[in-house]
Amino acid sequence: MPRFLAHGLVIASDAPLRLERPAPADAPADVTVRAAPARPVPADDPEGEVVAAYAEEGTNIRFAAVRRPDGTVLLRFAGTCEAVIGADLASVELVPDVRTPAEALPLLFNGLVTSLLLELRGHLVLHASAVSAGAAAVAFAGHPRRGKSTSATLACAAGARLVTDDVLRVDREPGGGARCWVGGGETRLRQSAEGLAEAFADPSRVRRTVDGRTAVRLPLAEQDPLTLRAVVVPIPDRDASTVQVTELAPPQAHLVLTSYPRVQGVVDRAVLLAQFGLLADLVGAVPVVEARLPWGPPYDPASMTTLFDALGVPLSAS
């Protein structure tokens, strides 16, 4: 079974997950992923002790995760897919609905399933994309549609390398500070930013995703893990002409980042307390800044050079 490295885990999978970095052949798997035959996935929520539940108003986006008596966690995307996470947190079974296209499975697994699995395993997960300059990483955190993927892609156009898109595992470094882990190799751009794909010459690294975005496969960070040097909350501003950076005090940073959960609707007390405490450790160790950024289209990679210089992480180190 092919093995891949992602988010600090060795993932063995018989399903194509669009993971890029192969793991050493003799590396034991931390998580084994198997694809089950398609079957009808119910539209109602599953029964069990609720871990997380979320429904986005005005859309058909809805999911629920429950812990069952045998210790497994069933995550159901209503009418689309189920993921069964083993009680030992070392296995995932993916069950697509009969109407779900095969290309949707990597999207679901690499997003919400991976995020929930990491949180259940006790890791801090930020709703963030991240890039690297040498051995240092900078994360872009925020709500959906607030420029995380666009900022990461723009930084790569200015010379950075991609760490991950939309899901960032962060751990404390033994000597203080924090480190983050390389995830997948694509950013997914919304229509207003898809012109950024033209900054990367190879058209074979650009594709249309099942959710209607433009995916750009970017050069991945060469070091893993990396020291996380800053967390940036981008504030896109089409009227701005310069980059403006404001550092947040730790209590404010904690409040802001708590409002951007990667797994929406978590009610499991143990998971909530762990994420809260880990986030408190992070904001005490790593600067969190708000950055007002000149916004396109068109987009100018020079804005990222300015931002990274202000953070003390020059892109020339890439």
Side-chain angles (χ1 to χ4, degrees):
M1 186 180 293
R3 286 172 161 78
F4 301 92
L5 292 171
H7 306 289
L9 301 175
V10 175
I11 299 175
S13 176
D14 65 2
L17 298 178
R18 290 195 174 275
L19 297 176
E20 185 171 318
R21 296 185 305 144
D26 58 348
D30 297 300
V31 180
T32 300
V33 181
R34 298 187 182 276
R39 63 172 183 256
V41 173
D44 57 345
D45 293 341
E47 294 184 359
E49 178 189 350
V50 178
V51 175
Y54 177 74
E56 185 172 302
E57 187 176 353
T59 74
N60 60 358
I61 298 174
R62 179 181 167 200
F63 68 82
V66 301
R67 185 173 284 106
R68 302 188 293 188
D70 62 359
T72 61
V73 172
L74 172 61
L75 173 59
R76 177 179 293 169
F77 303 87
T80 302
C81 176
E82 290 183 338
V84 181
I85 299 174
D88 59 358
L89 306 178
S91 66
V92 178
E93 181 185 51
L94 298 175
V95 185
D97 185 85
V98 291
R99 300 159 295 179
T100 300
E103 58 265 32
L105 282 184
L107 182 65
L108 297 171
F109 177 81
N110 294 324
L112 186 59
V113 177
T114 294
S115 299
L116 180 59
L117 176 64
L118 288 170
E119 291 192 6
L120 291 171
R121 291 174 70 101
H123 301 292
L124 175 62
V125 180
L126 295 185
H127 196 176
S129 301
V131 299
S132 71
V138 171
F140 297 96
H143 289 300
R145 304 176 182 87
R146 287 303 302 270
K148 300 184 300 297
S149 298
T150 301
S151 295
T153 306
L154 193 58
C156 289
R161 286 179 169 265
L162 184 66
V163 175
T164 189
D165 186 41
D166 209 42
V167 178
L168 181 65
R169 171 186 165 184
V170 179
D171 297 317
R172 288 298 303 271
E173 288 188 323
R179 59 185 178 179
C180 61
W181 301 82
V182 177
E186 290 183 328
T187 55
R188 291 165 45 245
L189 303 175
R190 298 180 188 276
Q191 185 176 1
S192 62
E194 61 187 13
L196 273 174
E198 297 174 2
F200 305 94
D202 187 353
S204 68
R205 299 180 72 84
V206 179
R207 67 182 181 87
R208 200 71 172 171
T209 66
V210 69
D211 61 348
R213 302 190 201 180
T214 297
V216 185
R217 186 162 291 278
L218 299 169
L220 274 173
E222 296 179 339
Q223 185 169 326
D224 188 33
L226 301 109
T227 298
L228 182 60
R229 290 283 297 276
V231 178
V232 176
V233 178
I235 303 175
D237 188 343
R238 289 188 170 87
D239 295 323
S241 58
T242 60
V243 175
Q244 302 172 32
V245 177
T246 304
E247 184 167 351
L248 303 178
Q252 185 181 8
H254 191 282
L255 180 63
V256 168
L257 294 182
T258 299
S259 70
Y260 309 144
R262 183 56 187 86
V263 182
Q264 297 271 14
V266 174
V267 296
D268 183 279
R269 181 176 174 82
V271 174
L272 283 174
L273 288 176
Q275 293 296 299
F276 188 91
L278 292 169
L279 188 56
D281 289 342
L282 173 67
V283 300
V286 175
V288 179
V289 307
E290 290 183 336
R292 189 169 297 277
L293 302 172
W295 211 244
Y299 295 89
D300 185 0
S303 63
M304 285 296 151
T305 302
T306 302
L307 172 62
F308 276 62
D309 285 344
L311 297 173
V313 189
L315 284 172
S316 59
S318 299

